[in-house]
PDB file of all heavy atoms in Angstrom:
ATOM      1  N   PHE A  67      61.236  79.782  58.027  1.00 81.00           N
ATOM      2  CA  PHE A  67      62.160  79.762  56.888  1.00 81.00           C
ATOM      3  C   PHE A  67      62.564  81.179  56.484  1.00 81.00           C
ATOM      4  O   PHE A  67      63.741  81.491  56.343  1.00 81.00           O
ATOM      5  CB  PHE A  67      61.509  79.022  55.718  1.00 81.00           C
ATOM      6  CG  PHE A  67      62.300  79.056  54.454  1.00 81.00           C
ATOM      7  CD1 PHE A  67      63.426  78.264  54.313  1.00 81.00           C
ATOM      8  CD2 PHE A  67      61.923  79.874  53.398  1.00 81.00           C
ATOM      9  CE1 PHE A  67      64.165  78.288  53.139  1.00 81.00           C
ATOM     10  CE2 PHE A  67      62.654  79.907  52.235  1.00 81.00           C
ATOM     11  CZ  PHE A  67      63.778  79.111  52.101  1.00 81.00           C
ATOM     12  N   ARG A  68      61.583  82.064  56.325  1.00 87.00           N
ATOM     13  CA  ARG A  68      61.867  83.450  55.909  1.00 87.00           C
ATOM     14  C   ARG A  68      62.646  84.208  56.973  1.00 87.00           C
ATOM     15  O   ARG A  68      63.567  84.969  56.651  1.00 87.00           O
ATOM     16  CB  ARG A  68      60.562  84.194  55.601  1.00 87.00           C
ATOM     17  CG  ARG A  68      59.914  83.782  54.320  1.00 87.00           C
ATOM     18  CD  ARG A  68      60.732  84.170  53.105  1.00 87.00           C
ATOM     19  NE  ARG A  68      60.812  85.607  53.015  1.00 87.00           N
ATOM     20  CZ  ARG A  68      61.815  86.287  52.488  1.00 87.00           C
ATOM     21  NH1 ARG A  68      62.837  85.667  51.974  1.00 87.00           N
ATOM     22  NH2 ARG A  68      61.811  87.603  52.455  1.00 87.00           N
ATOM     23  N   LEU A  69      62.307  84.019  58.248  1.00 88.00           N
ATOM     24  CA  LEU A  69      63.035  84.699  59.314  1.00 88.00           C
ATOM     25  C   LEU A  69      64.492  84.265  59.352  1.00 88.00           C
ATOM     26  O   LEU A  69      65.385  85.084  59.574  1.00 88.00           O
ATOM     27  CB  LEU A  69      62.371  84.436  60.669  1.00 88.00           C
ATOM     28  CG  LEU A  69      61.111  85.244  60.940  1.00 88.00           C
ATOM     29  CD1 LEU A  69      60.443  84.777  62.230  1.00 88.00           C
ATOM     30  CD2 LEU A  69      61.406  86.727  61.003  1.00 88.00           C
ATOM     31  N   THR A  70      64.736  82.989  59.120  1.00 85.00           N
ATOM     32  CA  THR A  70      66.112  82.499  59.103  1.00 85.00           C
ATOM     33  C   THR A  70      66.875  83.097  57.924  1.00 85.00           C
ATOM     34  O   THR A  70      68.033  83.497  58.067  1.00 85.00           O
ATOM     35  CB  THR A  70      66.127  80.957  59.034  1.00 85.00           C
ATOM     36  OG1 THR A  70      65.316  80.448  60.082  1.00 85.00           O
ATOM     37  CG2 THR A  70      67.533  80.414  59.178  1.00 85.00           C
ATOM     38  N   GLU A  71      66.222  83.171  56.753  1.00 87.00           N
ATOM     39  CA  GLU A  71      66.850  83.808  55.590  1.00 87.00           C
ATOM     40  C   GLU A  71      67.147  85.280  55.865  1.00 87.00           C
ATOM     41  O   GLU A  71      68.233  85.774  55.549  1.00 87.00           O
ATOM     42  CB  GLU A  71      65.924  83.723  54.366  1.00 87.00           C
ATOM     43  CG  GLU A  71      65.953  82.437  53.631  1.00 87.00           C
ATOM     44  CD  GLU A  71      65.074  82.508  52.389  1.00 87.00           C
ATOM     45  OE1 GLU A  71      64.152  83.352  52.326  1.00 87.00           O
ATOM     46  OE2 GLU A  71      65.323  81.716  51.478  1.00 87.00           O
ATOM     47  N   LEU A  72      66.182  85.988  56.423  1.00 92.00           N
ATOM     48  CA  LEU A  72      66.359  87.409  56.703  1.00 92.00           C
ATOM     49  C   LEU A  72      67.443  87.649  57.740  1.00 92.00           C
ATOM     50  O   LEU A  72      68.208  88.608  57.636  1.00 92.00           O
ATOM     51  CB  LEU A  72      65.038  88.033  57.163  1.00 92.00           C
ATOM     52  CG  LEU A  72      63.962  88.146  56.089  1.00 92.00           C
ATOM     53  CD1 LEU A  72      62.636  88.583  56.709  1.00 92.00           C
ATOM     54  CD2 LEU A  72      64.382  89.101  54.993  1.00 92.00           C
ATOM     55  N   LYS A  73      67.531  86.768  58.725  1.00 92.00           N
ATOM     56  CA  LYS A  73      68.584  86.895  59.729  1.00 92.00           C
ATOM     57  C   LYS A  73      69.955  86.741  59.086  1.00 92.00           C
ATOM     58  O   LYS A  73      70.877  87.514  59.379  1.00 92.00           O
ATOM     59  CB  LYS A  73      68.399  85.852  60.826  1.00 92.00           C
ATOM     60  CG  LYS A  73      69.434  85.938  61.909  1.00 92.00           C
ATOM     61  CD  LYS A  73      69.252  84.851  62.940  1.00 92.00           C
ATOM     62  CE  LYS A  73      70.400  84.921  63.929  1.00 92.00           C
ATOM     63  NZ  LYS A  73      70.576  83.691  64.657  1.00 92.00           N
ATOM     64  N   ALA A  74      70.102  85.755  58.200  1.00 89.00           N
ATOM     65  CA  ALA A  74      71.386  85.559  57.515  1.00 89.00           C
ATOM     66  C   ALA A  74      71.717  86.765  56.641  1.00 89.00           C
ATOM     67  O   ALA A  74      72.871  87.216  56.601  1.00 89.00           O
ATOM     68  CB  ALA A  74      71.348  84.285  56.678  1.00 89.00           C
ATOM     69  N   MET A  75      70.715  87.311  55.950  1.00 91.00           N
ATOM     70  CA  MET A  75      70.934  88.484  55.114  1.00 91.00           C
ATOM     71  C   MET A  75      71.336  89.688  55.965  1.00 91.00           C
ATOM     72  O   MET A  75      72.244  90.440  55.608  1.00 91.00           O
ATOM     73  CB  MET A  75      69.671  88.801  54.313  1.00 91.00           C
ATOM     74  CG  MET A  75      69.855  89.860  53.259  1.00 91.00           C
ATOM     75  SD  MET A  75      68.390  90.079  52.237  1.00 91.00           S
ATOM     76  CE  MET A  75      67.363  90.995  53.359  1.00 91.00           C
ATOM     77  N   LEU A  76      70.699  89.862  57.089  1.00 93.00           N
ATOM     78  CA  LEU A  76      71.036  90.960  57.992  1.00 93.00           C
ATOM     79  C   LEU A  76      72.443  90.792  58.551  1.00 93.00           C
ATOM     80  O   LEU A  76      73.204  91.764  58.629  1.00 93.00           O
ATOM     81  CB  LEU A  76      70.013  91.037  59.125  1.00 93.00           C
ATOM     82  CG  LEU A  76      70.179  92.169  60.115  1.00 93.00           C
ATOM     83  CD1 LEU A  76      70.076  93.519  59.413  1.00 93.00           C
ATOM     84  CD2 LEU A  76      69.135  92.064  61.210  1.00 93.00           C
ATOM     85  N   GLU A  77      72.806  89.567  58.913  1.00 90.00           N
ATOM     86  CA  GLU A  77      74.164  89.300  59.416  1.00 90.00           C
ATOM     87  C   GLU A  77      75.207  89.688  58.368  1.00 90.00           C
ATOM     88  O   GLU A  77      76.236  90.270  58.689  1.00 90.00           O
ATOM     89  CB  GLU A  77      74.321  87.821  59.786  1.00 90.00           C
ATOM     90  CG  GLU A  77      73.589  87.407  61.034  1.00 90.00           C
ATOM     91  CD  GLU A  77      74.239  87.904  62.298  1.00 90.00           C
ATOM     92  OE1 GLU A  77      75.459  88.093  62.323  1.00 90.00           O
ATOM     93  OE2 GLU A  77      73.508  88.104  63.279  1.00 90.00           O
ATOM     94  N   ARG A  78      74.945  89.341  57.107  1.00 90.00           N
ATOM     95  CA  ARG A  78      75.876  89.716  56.034  1.00 90.00           C
ATOM     96  C   ARG A  78      75.917  91.219  55.844  1.00 90.00           C
ATOM     97  O   ARG A  78      76.986  91.803  55.653  1.00 90.00           O
ATOM     98  CB  ARG A  78      75.476  89.046  54.717  1.00 90.00           C
ATOM     99  CG  ARG A  78      75.927  87.629  54.562  1.00 90.00           C
ATOM    100  CD  ARG A  78      75.707  87.107  53.152  1.00 90.00           C
ATOM    101  NE  ARG A  78      74.348  87.285  52.669  1.00 90.00           N
ATOM    102  CZ  ARG A  78      73.347  86.430  52.868  1.00 90.00           C
ATOM    103  NH1 ARG A  78      73.556  85.337  53.566  1.00 90.00           N
ATOM    104  NH2 ARG A  78      72.149  86.665  52.401  1.00 90.00           N
ATOM    105  N   SER A  79      74.756  91.862  55.895  1.00 92.00           N
ATOM    106  CA  SER A  79      74.712  93.292  55.597  1.00 92.00           C
ATOM    107  C   SER A  79      75.381  94.147  56.666  1.00 92.00           C
ATOM    108  O   SER A  79      75.886  95.223  56.349  1.00 92.00           O
ATOM    109  CB  SER A  79      73.272  93.753  55.368  1.00 92.00           C
ATOM    110  OG  SER A  79      72.561  93.747  56.573  1.00 92.00           O
ATOM    111  N   ILE A  80      75.414  93.685  57.901  1.00 94.00           N
ATOM    112  CA  ILE A  80      76.062  94.506  58.924  1.00 94.00           C
ATOM    113  C   ILE A  80      77.581  94.380  58.871  1.00 94.00           C
ATOM    114  O   ILE A  80      78.280  95.125  59.536  1.00 94.00           O
ATOM    115  CB  ILE A  80      75.559  94.185  60.346  1.00 94.00           C
ATOM    116  CG1 ILE A  80      75.888  92.771  60.759  1.00 94.00           C
ATOM    117  CG2 ILE A  80      74.092  94.484  60.481  1.00 94.00           C
ATOM    118  CD1 ILE A  80      75.569  92.469  62.210  1.00 94.00           C
ATOM    119  N   ARG A  81      78.079  93.463  58.071  1.00 94.00           N
ATOM    120  CA  ARG A  81      79.529  93.277  57.949  1.00 94.00           C
ATOM    121  C   ARG A  81      80.044  93.615  56.551  1.00 94.00           C
ATOM    122  O   ARG A  81      81.214  93.436  56.271  1.00 94.00           O
ATOM    123  CB  ARG A  81      79.882  91.832  58.277  1.00 94.00           C
ATOM    124  CG  ARG A  81      79.727  91.526  59.737  1.00 94.00           C
ATOM    125  CD  ARG A  81      79.908  90.056  60.044  1.00 94.00           C
ATOM    126  NE  ARG A  81      79.762  89.810  61.462  1.00 94.00           N
ATOM    127  CZ  ARG A  81      78.598  89.727  62.102  1.00 94.00           C
ATOM    128  NH1 ARG A  81      77.482  89.861  61.436  1.00 94.00           N
ATOM    129  NH2 ARG A  81      78.560  89.504  63.399  1.00 94.00           N
ATOM    130  N   THR A  82      79.188  94.095  55.684  1.00 94.00           N
ATOM    131  CA  THR A  82      79.560  94.342  54.295  1.00 94.00           C
ATOM    132  C   THR A  82      79.239  95.782  53.909  1.00 94.00           C
ATOM    133  O   THR A  82      78.175  96.298  54.237  1.00 94.00           O
ATOM    134  CB  THR A  82      78.782  93.383  53.363  1.00 94.00           C
ATOM    135  OG1 THR A  82      78.992  92.044  53.805  1.00 94.00           O
ATOM    136  CG2 THR A  82      79.256  93.500  51.935  1.00 94.00           C
ATOM    137  N   ASP A  83      80.172  96.396  53.187  1.00 94.00           N
ATOM    138  CA  ASP A  83      79.951  97.741  52.664  1.00 94.00           C
ATOM    139  C   ASP A  83      78.978  97.649  51.491  1.00 94.00           C
ATOM    140  O   ASP A  83      79.217  96.900  50.550  1.00 94.00           O
ATOM    141  CB  ASP A  83      81.291  98.335  52.209  1.00 94.00           C
ATOM    142  CG  ASP A  83      81.115  99.684  51.565  1.00 94.00           C
ATOM    143  OD1 ASP A  83      80.516 100.567  52.195  1.00 94.00           O
ATOM    144  OD2 ASP A  83      81.581  99.857  50.417  1.00 94.00           O
ATOM    145  N   PRO A  84      77.872  98.394  51.518  1.00 93.00           N
ATOM    146  CA  PRO A  84      76.874  98.259  50.459  1.00 93.00           C
ATOM    147  C   PRO A  84      77.347  98.744  49.083  1.00 93.00           C
ATOM    148  O   PRO A  84      76.891  98.238  48.064  1.00 93.00           O
ATOM    149  CB  PRO A  84      75.694  99.097  50.955  1.00 93.00           C
ATOM    150  CG  PRO A  84      76.257 100.017  51.975  1.00 93.00           C
ATOM    151  CD  PRO A  84      77.455  99.340  52.548  1.00 93.00           C
ATOM    152  N   LEU A  85      78.262  99.689  49.044  1.00 93.00           N
ATOM    153  CA  LEU A  85      78.713 100.219  47.760  1.00 93.00           C
ATOM    154  C   LEU A  85      79.697  99.278  47.069  1.00 93.00           C
ATOM    155  O   LEU A  85      79.534  98.941  45.907  1.00 93.00           O
ATOM    156  CB  LEU A  85      79.366 101.597  47.950  1.00 93.00           C
ATOM    157  CG  LEU A  85      79.922 102.243  46.676  1.00 93.00           C
ATOM    158  CD1 LEU A  85      78.788 102.554  45.701  1.00 93.00           C
ATOM    159  CD2 LEU A  85      80.693 103.503  47.025  1.00 93.00           C
ATOM    160  N   THR A  86      80.700  98.833  47.797  1.00 93.00           N
ATOM    161  CA  THR A  86      81.784  98.061  47.180  1.00 93.00           C
ATOM    162  C   THR A  86      81.608  96.552  47.309  1.00 93.00           C
ATOM    163  O   THR A  86      82.220  95.798  46.564  1.00 93.00           O
ATOM    164  CB  THR A  86      83.128  98.436  47.812  1.00 93.00           C
ATOM    165  OG1 THR A  86      83.093  98.105  49.201  1.00 93.00           O
ATOM    166  CG2 THR A  86      83.411  99.918  47.626  1.00 93.00           C
ATOM    167  N   GLY A  87      80.806  96.118  48.266  1.00 91.00           N
ATOM    168  CA  GLY A  87      80.658  94.687  48.497  1.00 91.00           C
ATOM    169  C   GLY A  87      81.785  94.095  49.328  1.00 91.00           C
ATOM    170  O   GLY A  87      81.779  92.911  49.636  1.00 91.00           O
ATOM    171  N   LEU A  88      82.759  94.920  49.707  1.00 93.00           N
ATOM    172  CA  LEU A  88      83.850  94.455  50.558  1.00 93.00           C
ATOM    173  C   LEU A  88      83.379  94.426  52.007  1.00 93.00           C
ATOM    174  O   LEU A  88      82.325  94.949  52.339  1.00 93.00           O
ATOM    175  CB  LEU A  88      85.055  95.396  50.446  1.00 93.00           C
ATOM    176  CG  LEU A  88      85.699  95.575  49.074  1.00 93.00           C
ATOM    177  CD1 LEU A  88      86.842  96.571  49.166  1.00 93.00           C
ATOM    178  CD2 LEU A  88      86.180  94.244  48.528  1.00 93.00           C
ATOM    179  N   LEU A  89      84.193  93.821  52.858  1.00 93.00           N
ATOM    180  CA  LEU A  89      83.906  93.906  54.278  1.00 93.00           C
ATOM    181  C   LEU A  89      83.916  95.373  54.701  1.00 93.00           C
ATOM    182  O   LEU A  89      84.679  96.166  54.163  1.00 93.00           O
ATOM    183  CB  LEU A  89      84.962  93.152  55.095  1.00 93.00           C
ATOM    184  CG  LEU A  89      84.987  91.640  54.999  1.00 93.00           C
ATOM    185  CD1 LEU A  89      86.122  91.073  55.833  1.00 93.00           C
ATOM    186  CD2 LEU A  89      83.666  91.040  55.429  1.00 93.00           C
ATOM    187  N   ASN A  90      83.072  95.729  55.654  1.00 95.00           N
ATOM    188  CA  ASN A  90      83.138  97.066  56.221  1.00 95.00           C
ATOM    189  C   ASN A  90      84.047  97.036  57.442  1.00 95.00           C
ATOM    190  O   ASN A  90      84.684  96.025  57.728  1.00 95.00           O
ATOM    191  CB  ASN A  90      81.735  97.596  56.546  1.00 95.00           C
ATOM    192  CG  ASN A  90      81.022  96.765  57.592  1.00 95.00           C
ATOM    193  OD1 ASN A  90      81.603  95.937  58.287  1.00 95.00           O
ATOM    194  ND2 ASN A  90      79.720  96.979  57.697  1.00 95.00           N
ATOM    195  N   ARG A  91      84.124  98.129  58.160  1.00 94.00           N
ATOM    196  CA  ARG A  91      85.009  98.230  59.322  1.00 94.00           C
ATOM    197  C   ARG A  91      84.726  97.118  60.327  1.00 94.00           C
ATOM    198  O   ARG A  91      85.633  96.449  60.799  1.00 94.00           O
ATOM    199  CB  ARG A  91      84.817  99.600  59.981  1.00 94.00           C
ATOM    200  CG  ARG A  91      85.667  99.824  61.225  1.00 94.00           C
ATOM    201  CD  ARG A  91      85.213 101.072  61.929  1.00 94.00           C
ATOM    202  NE  ARG A  91      86.006 102.214  62.121  1.00 94.00           N
ATOM    203  CZ  ARG A  91      87.176 102.580  61.653  1.00 94.00           C
ATOM    204  NH1 ARG A  91      87.782 101.832  60.815  1.00 94.00           N
ATOM    205  NH2 ARG A  91      87.765 103.687  61.983  1.00 94.00           N
ATOM    206  N   ARG A  92      83.469  96.921  60.644  1.00 94.00           N
ATOM    207  CA  ARG A  92      83.093  95.886  61.608  1.00 94.00           C
ATOM    208  C   ARG A  92      83.500  94.496  61.124  1.00 94.00           C
ATOM    209  O   ARG A  92      84.090  93.712  61.858  1.00 94.00           O
ATOM    210  CB  ARG A  92      81.588  95.934  61.837  1.00 94.00           C
ATOM    211  CG  ARG A  92      81.088  94.825  62.710  1.00 94.00           C
ATOM    212  CD  ARG A  92      79.573  94.797  62.750  1.00 94.00           C
ATOM    213  NE  ARG A  92      79.169  94.391  64.066  1.00 94.00           N
ATOM    214  CZ  ARG A  92      78.047  94.706  64.637  1.00 94.00           C
ATOM    215  NH1 ARG A  92      77.191  95.467  64.018  1.00 94.00           N
ATOM    216  NH2 ARG A  92      77.753  94.261  65.822  1.00 94.00           N
ATOM    217  N   GLY A  93      83.165  94.177  59.872  1.00 93.00           N
ATOM    218  CA  GLY A  93      83.508  92.872  59.320  1.00 93.00           C
ATOM    219  C   GLY A  93      85.003  92.644  59.270  1.00 93.00           C
ATOM    220  O   GLY A  93      85.493  91.538  59.535  1.00 93.00           O
ATOM    221  N   PHE A  94      85.752  93.699  58.938  1.00 92.00           N
ATOM    222  CA  PHE A  94      87.209  93.577  58.863  1.00 92.00           C
ATOM    223  C   PHE A  94      87.804  93.262  60.232  1.00 92.00           C
ATOM    224  O   PHE A  94      88.606  92.339  60.377  1.00 92.00           O
ATOM    225  CB  PHE A  94      87.824  94.870  58.313  1.00 92.00           C
ATOM    226  CG  PHE A  94      89.323  94.883  58.363  1.00 92.00           C
ATOM    227  CD1 PHE A  94      90.066  94.085  57.497  1.00 92.00           C
ATOM    228  CD2 PHE A  94      89.996  95.672  59.272  1.00 92.00           C
ATOM    229  CE1 PHE A  94      91.447  94.084  57.540  1.00 92.00           C
ATOM    230  CE2 PHE A  94      91.383  95.689  59.327  1.00 92.00           C
ATOM    231  CZ  PHE A  94      92.106  94.888  58.457  1.00 92.00           C
ATOM    232  N   PHE A  95      87.393  94.008  61.247  1.00 92.00           N
ATOM    233  CA  PHE A  95      87.974  93.784  62.568  1.00 92.00           C
ATOM    234  C   PHE A  95      87.536  92.445  63.165  1.00 92.00           C
ATOM    235  O   PHE A  95      88.309  91.804  63.885  1.00 92.00           O
ATOM    236  CB  PHE A  95      87.679  94.955  63.507  1.00 92.00           C
ATOM    237  CG  PHE A  95      88.544  96.148  63.200  1.00 92.00           C
ATOM    238  CD1 PHE A  95      88.002  97.302  62.662  1.00 92.00           C
ATOM    239  CD2 PHE A  95      89.910  96.096  63.422  1.00 92.00           C
ATOM    240  CE1 PHE A  95      88.809  98.392  62.360  1.00 92.00           C
ATOM    241  CE2 PHE A  95      90.722  97.188  63.122  1.00 92.00           C
ATOM    242  CZ  PHE A  95      90.170  98.335  62.590  1.00 92.00           C
ATOM    243  N   GLU A  96      86.341  91.992  62.865  1.00 92.00           N
ATOM    244  CA  GLU A  96      85.926  90.656  63.305  1.00 92.00           C
ATOM    245  C   GLU A  96      86.769  89.584  62.613  1.00 92.00           C
ATOM    246  O   GLU A  96      87.183  88.604  63.228  1.00 92.00           O
ATOM    247  CB  GLU A  96      84.443  90.430  63.018  1.00 92.00           C
ATOM    248  CG  GLU A  96      83.528  91.180  63.950  1.00 92.00           C
ATOM    249  CD  GLU A  96      82.065  91.015  63.599  1.00 92.00           C
ATOM    250  OE1 GLU A  96      81.741  90.310  62.613  1.00 92.00           O
ATOM    251  OE2 GLU A  96      81.233  91.585  64.326  1.00 92.00           O
ATOM    252  N   HIS A  97      87.031  89.776  61.316  1.00 89.00           N
ATOM    253  CA  HIS A  97      87.868  88.827  60.568  1.00 89.00           C
ATOM    254  C   HIS A  97      89.288  88.797  61.130  1.00 89.00           C
ATOM    255  O   HIS A  97      89.862  87.727  61.345  1.00 89.00           O
ATOM    256  CB  HIS A  97      87.894  89.198  59.086  1.00 89.00           C
ATOM    257  CG  HIS A  97      88.752  88.298  58.272  1.00 89.00           C
ATOM    258  ND1 HIS A  97      88.322  87.071  57.834  1.00 89.00           N
ATOM    259  CD2 HIS A  97      90.024  88.434  57.838  1.00 89.00           C
ATOM    260  CE1 HIS A  97      89.298  86.490  57.162  1.00 89.00           C
ATOM    261  NE2 HIS A  97      90.338  87.301  57.140  1.00 89.00           N
ATOM    262  N   VAL A  98      89.851  89.962  61.373  1.00 85.00           N
ATOM    263  CA  VAL A  98      91.211  90.045  61.927  1.00 85.00           C
ATOM    264  C   VAL A  98      91.268  89.361  63.294  1.00 85.00           C
ATOM    265  O   VAL A  98      92.218  88.629  63.588  1.00 85.00           O
ATOM    266  CB  VAL A  98      91.666  91.519  62.010  1.00 85.00           C
ATOM    267  CG1 VAL A  98      92.925  91.660  62.843  1.00 85.00           C
ATOM    268  CG2 VAL A  98      91.889  92.078  60.616  1.00 85.00           C
ATOM    269  N   GLN A  99      90.250  89.568  64.106  1.00 88.00           N
ATOM    270  CA  GLN A  99      90.205  88.930  65.424  1.00 88.00           C
ATOM    271  C   GLN A  99      90.232  87.407  65.287  1.00 88.00           C
ATOM    272  O   GLN A  99      90.969  86.732  65.998  1.00 88.00           O
ATOM    273  CB  GLN A  99      88.947  89.374  66.179  1.00 88.00           C
ATOM    274  CG  GLN A  99      88.850  88.825  67.579  1.00 88.00           C
ATOM    275  CD  GLN A  99      89.906  89.403  68.488  1.00 88.00           C
ATOM    276  OE1 GLN A  99      90.280  90.562  68.361  1.00 88.00           O
ATOM    277  NE2 GLN A  99      90.393  88.594  69.404  1.00 88.00           N
ATOM    278  N   ARG A 100      89.449  86.856  64.358  1.00 84.00           N
ATOM    279  CA  ARG A 100      89.443  85.402  64.142  1.00 84.00           C
ATOM    280  C   ARG A 100      90.799  84.909  63.668  1.00 84.00           C
ATOM    281  O   ARG A 100      91.266  83.852  64.098  1.00 84.00           O
ATOM    282  CB  ARG A 100      88.368  85.020  63.130  1.00 84.00           C
ATOM    283  CG  ARG A 100      86.980  85.000  63.690  1.00 84.00           C
ATOM    284  CD  ARG A 100      85.989  84.345  62.749  1.00 84.00           C
ATOM    285  NE  ARG A 100      85.976  84.919  61.421  1.00 84.00           N
ATOM    286  CZ  ARG A 100      85.223  85.944  61.037  1.00 84.00           C
ATOM    287  NH1 ARG A 100      84.424  86.521  61.905  1.00 84.00           N
ATOM    288  NH2 ARG A 100      85.264  86.395  59.808  1.00 84.00           N
ATOM    289  N   VAL A 101      91.455  85.664  62.768  1.00 80.00           N
ATOM    290  CA  VAL A 101      92.776  85.263  62.270  1.00 80.00           C
ATOM    291  C   VAL A 101      93.775  85.211  63.413  1.00 80.00           C
ATOM    292  O   VAL A 101      94.548  84.248  63.538  1.00 80.00           O
ATOM    293  CB  VAL A 101      93.262  86.228  61.162  1.00 80.00           C
ATOM    294  CG1 VAL A 101      94.729  85.999  60.843  1.00 80.00           C
ATOM    295  CG2 VAL A 101      92.414  86.051  59.912  1.00 80.00           C
TER     296      VAL A 101
END
Side-chain angles (χ1 to χ4, degrees):
F67 174 75
R68 287 293 295 150
L69 283 173
T70 307
E71 279 184 338
L72 291 172
K73 181 183 175 200
M75 189 174 76
L76 183 61
E77 288 286 331
R78 278 190 307 273
S79 71
I80 63 173
R81 289 173 179 79
T82 306
D83 176 54
L85 178 65
T86 62
L88 300 178
L89 291 178
N90 63 14
R91 179 191 243 10
R92 174 188 215 153
F94 173 72
F95 284 111
E96 286 176 0
H97 179 81
V98 168
Q99 183 68 35
R100 282 192 306 271
V101 168

